[in-house]
């Protein structure tokens, strides 16, 4: 993309309503525009990152054997009356009627609807296990929406639902989701710690939240510092293996890590004092096992091996896709702007032309742009007539991990400058070497 043809409405001043870093930088970098309290339009740069995150989620769900569907945003209230949640859910649910005075609601979550889909089409244990998921917009009418996409009323979310014959099978699905989530977050450059949590209105006894440590997190968290040494890495896991998935669960949840709702001071005090940590965390996902809560209420049964009908065991599993943008920025920024991890950056590298209109620099930039594009990378070429300082400030603000700077002085010596956004370190090299280096950096992220 050439910056002269792109829609990137960056702001020099921080809007007064932006209270935290991610909200500030998303507005300033022209990623979002507020349309109403807690409701945003996603502008090209923000939408591009949103899609990168969504694609990683889809890939890891497919790797785990989960099947994508798409359910409507509006749901009939009668489904929620069946489960008993329609009146219990509270004022966060946006209720409405259509022209025929039928009660509807704007989806806050979709346990009832997916259970209805299951009971309509599955009747035998031979069709289990089954996990269906979607990535869809949701709405929860927060009383005080704030912090931008971190706590909006409308949000983009992956919600998955497993259907299993027994509790043991459903707990394997729970473990499978935990493994897939660890992979998902690490691919985005995040360390998301699974913490024992409260189930809230979803219900169920087994639940973990995934939290990213950040000063602006809305949750107080208590944990053993040893959990921050754990990484999933590039290990291969057989998602059908109960033992392997259980092993990962035990590895990542055996150390103390809890949100304030489930914190146990006595257990916490058993940790060696030098490893006790109290911090803030941003929730970016949660997994639940809730047994037969919905299947019994809504008649989602299958015929078991003995010919008897039994309610299926279920769980639900969510990732806040739009919320993740804010979490990544909160975890990865400096006083100049965003620092995108390579896995989710909107463009792989920025090209800065220090003397637009100069025949040699223009030609060199064009050659770089075409070569990087031909290599399967997405460069953002700043071909505007802005001064060099302004170009650098924009690149720092929008946070591309790598920048290639092209100027007349360097070209006389046959070199360009490759700069790391994270470290600020620069290295002079030939244009061909810069292209090869950027290709090498992104090879693990391009599959």
């Amino acid at each position: 993309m050439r910056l002269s043809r792109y829609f990137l409405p960056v702001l020099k001043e921080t809007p007064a309503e932006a209270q935290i870093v991610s909200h500030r930088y998303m507005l300033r970098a022209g990623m979002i525009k507020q349309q109403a309290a807690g409701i945003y339009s996603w502008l090209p740069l923000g939408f591009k990152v949103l899609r990168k995150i969504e694609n990683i989620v889809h890939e890891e769900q497919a790797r785990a054997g989960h099947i994508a569907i798409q359910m409507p945003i509006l749901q009939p209230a009668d489904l929620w009356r069946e489960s008993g949640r329609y009146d219990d859910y509270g004022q966060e649910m946006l209720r409405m009627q259509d022209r025929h005075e039928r009660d509807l609601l704007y989806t806050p979550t979709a346990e009832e609807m997916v259970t209805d889909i299951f009971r309509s089409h599955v009747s035998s244990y031979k069709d289990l296990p089954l996990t269906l998921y979607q990535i869809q917009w949701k709405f929860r009418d927060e009383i005080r929406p704030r912090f931008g996409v971190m706590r909006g009323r409308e949000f983009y979310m992956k919600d998955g639902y497993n259907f299993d014959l027994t509790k043991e099978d459903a707990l394997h699905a729970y473990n499978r989701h935990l493994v897939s989530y660890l992979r998902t977050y690490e691919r985005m450059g995040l360390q998301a710690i699974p913490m024992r949590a409260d189930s809230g209105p979803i219900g169920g006894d087994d639940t973990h939240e995934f939290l990213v440590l950040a000063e602006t997190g809305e949750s107080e968290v208590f944990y053993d510092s040893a959990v921050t040494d754990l990484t999933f890495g590039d290990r291969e896991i057989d998602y059908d293996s109960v033992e392997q998935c259980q092993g990962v669960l035990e590895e990542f949840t055996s150390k103390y890590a809890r949100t304030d709702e489930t914190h146990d001071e006595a257990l916490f005090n058993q940790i060696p004092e030098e490893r006790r940590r109290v911090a803030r965390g941003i929730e970016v996902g949660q997994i639940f096992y809730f047994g037969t809560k919905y299947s019994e209420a809504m008649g989602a049964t299958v015929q078991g091996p003995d010919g008897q009908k039994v309610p299926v065991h279920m769980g639900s599993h969510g990732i806040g896709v739009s919320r993740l943008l804010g979490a990544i920025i909160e975890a990865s920024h400096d006083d100049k702007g965003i620092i995108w991890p390579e896995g989710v950056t909107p463009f792989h590298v920025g090209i800065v032309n220090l003397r637009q209109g100069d025949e040699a620099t223009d030609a060199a930039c064009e050659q770089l742009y075409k070569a990087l594009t031909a290599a399967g990378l997405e460069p953002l070429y700043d071909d505007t007539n802005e001064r060099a300082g302004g170009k650098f400030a924009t690149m720092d603000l929008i946070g591309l991990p790598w920048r290639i700077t092209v100027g007349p002085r360097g070209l006389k010596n046959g070199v360009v400058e490759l700069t790391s956004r994270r470290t600020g370190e620069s290295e002079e090299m030939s244009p061909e070497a810069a292209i090869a280096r950027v290709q090498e950096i992104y090879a693990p992220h391009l599959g």
Side-chain angles (χ1 to χ4, degrees), residues 81-317:
R81 292 190 175 107
E82 272 192 75
S83 71
R85 279 208 302 174
Y86 185 68
D87 296 318
D88 293 344
Y89 203 87
Q91 291 186 317
E92 283 190 359
M93 182 191 289
L94 185 64
R95 297 164 170 87
M96 66 202 78
Q97 288 188 330
D98 64 14
R99 66 174 67 192
H100 302 292
E101 298 186 350
R102 289 178 292 223
D103 292 328
L104 302 169
L105 58 99
Y106 196 117
T107 298
T109 181
E111 282 81 6
E112 284 82 0
M113 184 168 283
V114 78
T115 303
D116 180 54
I117 292 170
F118 177 88
R119 70 183 178 184
S120 299
H121 300 287
V122 180
S123 57
S124 170
Y125 76 97
K126 295 178 182 178
D127 295 320
L128 304 179
L130 178 65
T131 295
L132 303 174
Y133 81 95
Q134 66 170 350
I135 301 179
Q136 177 62 291
W137 291 100
K138 311 286 192 302
F139 190 92
R140 293 177 189 167
D141 200 4
E142 295 274 356
I143 188 168
R144 280 186 299 275
R146 55 197 178 124
F147 303 155
V149 301
M150 295 287 290
R151 195 170 177 178
R153 293 192 293 165
E154 186 181 57
F155 54 96
Y156 203 45
M157 180 179 171
K158 174 261 164 181
D159 48 318
Y161 308 91
N162 65 281
F163 301 88
D164 291 278
L165 182 62
T166 66
K167 179 177 181 179
E168 291 72 28
D169 292 341
L171 288 176
H172 173 55
Y174 184 96
N175 297 350
R176 194 172 65 237
H177 278 86
L178 181 133
V179 174
S180 70
Y181 280 22
L182 291 171
R183 286 186 56 95
T184 297
Y185 296 126
E186 285 195 14
R187 284 186 61 186
M188 297 175 189
L190 289 172
Q191 182 177 47
I193 303 168
M195 298 193 178
R196 177 67 64 182
D198 181 64
S199 63
I202 302 290
D205 298 323
D206 292 271
T207 179
H208 281 86
E209 284 180 353
F210 291 79
L211 288 105
V212 174
L213 300 177
E215 291 179 5
T216 51
E218 61 188 355
S219 300
E220 188 174 30
V221 296
F222 303 80
Y223 64 97
D224 181 338
S225 65
V227 302
T228 59
D229 297 329
L230 299 172
T231 57
F232 190 84
D234 57 1
R235 68 180 92 174
E236 287 297 324
I237 292 290
D238 179 359
Y239 282 101
D240 291 331
S241 169
V242 172
E243 293 76 17
Q244 286 189 37
C245 292
Q246 179 67 24
V248 174
L249 173 92
E250 290 172 0
E251 177 185 352
F252 280 84
T253 63
S254 59
K255 300 285 191 295
Y256 190 92
R258 297 196 178 196
T259 60
D260 47 3
E261 294 99 333
T262 60
H263 176 54
D264 185 319
E265 193 69 25
L267 286 176
F268 187 61
N269 288 334
Q270 293 176 19
I271 303 167
E273 188 174 355
E274 68 274 11
R275 297 206 323 247
R276 287 180 219 152
R277 297 287 187 275
V278 181
R280 309 295 299 179
I282 299 168
E283 184 206 336
V284 292
Q286 190 163 2
I287 56 177
F288 302 86
Y289 162 71
F290 44 67
T292 58
K293 173 179 176 177
Y294 296 94
S295 54
E296 285 187 345
M298 299 183 67
T301 61
V302 294
Q303 189 176 56
D306 60 0
Q308 300 298 309
K309 284 191 173 184
V310 291
V312 291
H313 287 255
M314 294 175 58
S316 67
H317 316 275

Side-chain angles (χ1 to χ4, degrees), residues 41-57:
S41 287
W42 290 78
L43 307 184
L45 194 74
F47 186 63
K48 201 165 175 55
V49 180
L50 190 70
R51 283 287 175 257
K52 290 282 184 83
I53 291 173
E54 180 182 3
N55 287 340
I56 290 174
V57 173

